[in-house]
Amino acid sequence: MAEWFADFKTDFIICFVEKNRWKFIVNGLGNTLKITLFALILGIAIGVIVAVVRSTWDKNGADMRRGFGRGLLRFFNGICKIYLTVIRGTPVVVQLMIMYYVIFAASDNGVLVAAIAFGINSGAYVAEIVRSGIMSVDEGQFEAGRSLGFNYIQTMRYIIVPQAFKVVLPALANEFITLLKETSVAGYVAVKDLTKGADIIRGATYQTFMPLMAVAIVYLVMVMFFTWLVGKLERRLRSNER
Amino acid sequence: MSDNILIQVEDVKKYYNGEKIKALDGVSADIKKGEVVVVIGPSGSGKSTFLRCLNLLEAPTSGRILFDGTDITDPRTNINNHRQHMGMVFQHFNLFPNMTILKNLTLAPIKLRKKSKEEAEKEALALLGRVGLEDRANAYSSQLSGGQKQRIAIVRALCMNPEVMLFDEPTSALDPEMVGEVLDVMKQLAREGMTMVVVTHEMGFAREVGSRVIFMDEGRIVEEGTPSEIFDSPKSDRLKSFLAKIL
């Protein structure tokens, strides 16, 4: 047993202490959080817009007066549908590589490109979550808003979307947790995220167990923390309604 | 056209599914300023559709609706501006559950009338006081009874200082013991000279407050007149049999 501990200590020093290798983990974690946070914001922005366009078309497209407005809405709805199909129909690693090697080939800011790629990817999933939330808000809420004189966009903004958000907040939080773990493939395009940090240590020290376990634990702790936070949030939302 | 007419409905039709369902089949009516028009009729007679056409929550298939002389069925008319002057009260209240009562009342005045928060809140509280609910300003709608919710919904519409109030079966979703408190608020409004169009099953209210009663069936106006003409000496057989069943 004492021997095992001694080995563990030696390995630990090789992996994290020597040459300040712990910095790969800490800096990687920083990049992972940066990518996740930026992607989350971008994803929610895209998701809400797509969800509003899609649900507007689904609810009103059939009875709208034929004309410019309907044509425009139909066009945007078509674009949103293509976006959802393409993004949800291809692996995120492929999207990431297309972003990095094709679309933003001139950029050397890997973290930003990864954040944009994950944001666009996440937007598709957020859109469907928010759309289900919008559809779940009672039609009477919408009529009440319109009868007061709010136009369609104002009704969405002040009345429907805040209520929809409340309904889907737990689902959105889960999407955030999924996103956090998904960013671990950012290393594919030379981004030094948390996973890549462990990989660099593995390559430099020929140690496999220690660095990989370490990042696994870091991910697990983060996910457990956010899951706990989501649970707390859900309980608070529920108590507000009573 | 007389200056006195606030809403003029001209041969309005509303069809669903092509022409299969005729919710409104050629309805014309004038609503004068200060009048309380009560619309009665069996369910499915089109009375709610008629009311919802007045502020274009339902777009008529054909016909015209003039509000204050403006054709609001014209696509070039900005209906949102006109809706600000037409308060509406729904059967199911439709209060915003995620906001406090005060926020419910002040949202539209602040965002649409560009009132300051203080001014809007002061007016809202004054109106709340008139329905006896100023102490519930910071409550959420889920904490209120049905009758309280409906009184708040009336106040929410009044906060926009409308020229006409549209009531879509305002007491149908209430427990019987709460109907009275809502009708009292509506009676008070009527006495103050508010123009009102009320779809209801409350025949007592129609008789007491209505300046005119419209009886609808199968998407048409079958008979209209003063409450005593409608209730005491109905002419059409359809109205007679309707009254026989409900009175």
Side-chain angles (χ1 to χ4, degrees):
Chain A
M1 199 66 183
E3 196 184 336
W4 188 85
F5 267 113
D7 282 354
F8 186 91
K9 198 180 162 194
T10 331
D11 288 355
F12 188 86
I13 289 169
I14 292 171
C15 285
F16 302 120
V17 181
E18 261 180 27
K19 294 188 179 169
N20 280 338
R21 289 200 176 104
W22 57 271
K23 279 190 174 169
F24 287 114
I25 301 285
V26 172
N27 294 342
L29 177 62
N31 280 339
T32 291
L33 288 176
K34 262 188 235 164
I35 293 170
T36 307
L37 208 68
F38 183 89
L40 179 78
I41 294 165
L42 184 64
I44 286 178
I46 295 175
V48 169
I49 293 169
V50 171
V52 168
V53 170
R54 293 270 297 117
S55 56
T56 302
W57 175 258
D58 283 358
K59 274 203 258 187
N60 308 310
D63 347 297
M64 269 174 92
R65 287 197 188 97
R66 281 177 200 285
F68 181 69
R70 186 176 187 272
L72 202 67
L73 183 60
R74 187 178 182 158
F75 173 73
F76 280 118
N77 181 59
I79 290 194
C80 289
K81 266 180 144 167
I82 293 170
Y83 162 74
L84 292 174
T85 309
V86 170
I87 294 297
R88 295 197 301 171
T90 54
V92 65
V93 181
V94 176
Q95 292 167 22
L96 180 70
M97 293 205 284
I98 290 173
M99 279 286 178
Y100 188 76
Y101 294 117
V102 183
I103 297 172
F104 291 108
S107 165
D108 56 358
N109 191 341
V111 172
L112 184 65
V113 173
I116 292 172
F118 285 112
I120 291 173
N121 178 269
S122 178
Y125 296 93
V126 171
E128 290 302 276
I129 293 170
V130 174
R131 191 167 75 100
S132 75
I134 289 174
M135 293 308 229
S136 79
V137 176
D138 182 47
E139 186 63 23
Q141 293 291 310
F142 195 80
E143 293 186 345
R146 294 308 301 269
S147 78
L148 286 167
F150 287 110
N151 65 30
Y152 188 90
I153 299 290
Q154 289 170 324
T155 307
M156 275 287 172
R157 181 172 153 206
Y158 296 127
I159 295 158
I160 307 297
V161 171
Q163 291 185 53
F165 250 99
K166 223 172 134 168
V167 175
V168 300
L169 207 57
L172 275 183
N174 282 326
E175 168 60 23
F176 169 71
I177 289 170
T178 307
L179 182 65
L180 176 71
K181 289 181 290 176
E182 255 180 11
T183 59
S184 60
V185 297
Y188 262 91
V189 295
V191 171
K192 288 176 182 160
D193 76 320
L194 183 57
T195 308
K196 188 70 182 177
D199 207 38
I200 291 169
I201 296 175
R202 187 182 60 81
T205 62
Y206 302 107
Q207 296 274 345
T208 52
F209 177 82
M210 191 75 78
L212 291 175
M213 278 302 143
V215 293
I217 289 168
V218 174
Y219 277 115
L220 184 62
V221 168
M222 283 196 294
V223 169
M224 280 165 68
F225 171 71
F226 286 122
T227 308
W228 171 77
L229 215 60
V230 171
K232 228 172 119 100
L233 200 69
E234 264 179 80
R235 278 191 296 279
R236 252 194 69 183
L237 285 180
R238 235 176 289 145
S239 68
N240 255 2
E241 286 195 345
R242 308 277 158 238
Chain B
M1 192 185 89
S2 153
D3 289 338
N4 222 4
I5 295 176
L6 187 60
I7 305 176
Q8 202 171 1
V9 182
E10 292 176 356
D11 195 30
V12 163
K13 294 178 179 166
K14 175 70 185 178
Y15 297 160
Y16 295 102
N17 281 349
E19 296 208 353
K20 277 187 208 121
I21 302 162
K22 297 180 173 178
L24 290 180
D25 198 12
V27 171
S28 299
D30 291 339
I31 289 146
K32 300 188 193 74
K33 279 180 187 150
E35 216 178 12
V36 178
V37 176
V38 181
V39 185
I40 60 170
S43 54
S45 60
K47 54 192 192 308
S48 276
T49 310
F50 168 72
L51 190 81
R52 291 159 58 82
C53 277
L54 294 182
N55 69 351
L56 251 57
L57 277 187
E58 301 279 357
T61 312
S62 70
R64 292 206 309 164
I65 296 164
L66 286 90
F67 175 61
D68 245 351
T70 311
D71 181 1
I72 56 172
T73 46
D74 185 336
R76 282 164 300 185
T77 307
N78 184 350
I79 184 62
N80 301 312
N81 291 341
H82 293 282
R83 284 198 186 122
Q84 294 183 21
H85 304 283
M86 310 169 107
M88 187 157 193
V89 176
F90 300 87
Q91 182 177 357
H92 295 287
F93 331 125
N94 297 345
L95 295 177
F96 308 131
N98 54 332
M99 303 174 195
T100 62
I101 296 309
L102 197 58
K103 190 87 199 298
N104 263 277
L105 304 182
T106 54
L107 183 71
I110 290 173
K111 301 291 183 196
L112 296 173
R113 287 278 158 79
K114 307 291 172 205
K115 284 187 180 167
S116 71
K117 191 163 175 270
E118 292 73 29
E119 192 189 354
E121 287 185 350
K122 207 178 108 198
E123 288 175 14
L125 286 170
L127 281 167
L128 265 186
R130 282 180 42 189
V131 299
L133 289 171
E134 64 273 56
D135 55 328
R136 308 317 305 268
N138 293 313
Y140 285 86
S141 67
S142 55
Q143 298 163 323
L144 304 176
S145 72
Q148 289 175 329
K149 282 182 199 171
Q150 196 60 298
R151 277 142 72 197
I152 303 271
I154 294 172
V155 171
R156 181 174 67 180
L158 289 177
C159 279
M160 289 297 278
N161 199 15
E163 287 175 51
V164 58
M165 287 283 285
L166 312 174
F167 292 86
D168 189 4
E169 304 200 23
T171 56
S172 298
L174 296 176
D175 288 343
E177 59 194 300
M178 291 170 183
V179 170
E181 62 191 68
V182 172
L183 290 182
D184 285 344
V185 171
M186 292 168 64
K187 284 175 195 167
Q188 193 192 336
L189 262 182
R191 274 198 299 274
E192 288 164 9
M194 175 62 79
T195 312
M196 294 162 64
V197 184
V198 186
V199 171
T200 187
H201 295 292
E202 296 293 329
M203 297 305 148
F205 175 84
R207 190 187 272 273
E208 187 189 334
V209 186
S211 30
R212 196 147 53 94
V213 178
I214 291 177
F215 172 67
M216 288 185 69
D217 190 34
E218 293 183 341
R220 293 164 183 276
I221 294 179
V222 177
E223 206 170 324
E224 63 177 297
T226 62
S228 73
E229 283 169 354
I230 292 289
F231 293 111
D232 300 333
S233 49
K235 291 183 201 77
S236 61
D237 291 340
R238 187 67 192 86
L239 177 55
K240 281 177 196 162
S241 75
F242 175 73
L243 291 174
K245 273 181 213 148
I246 58 158
L247 289 179

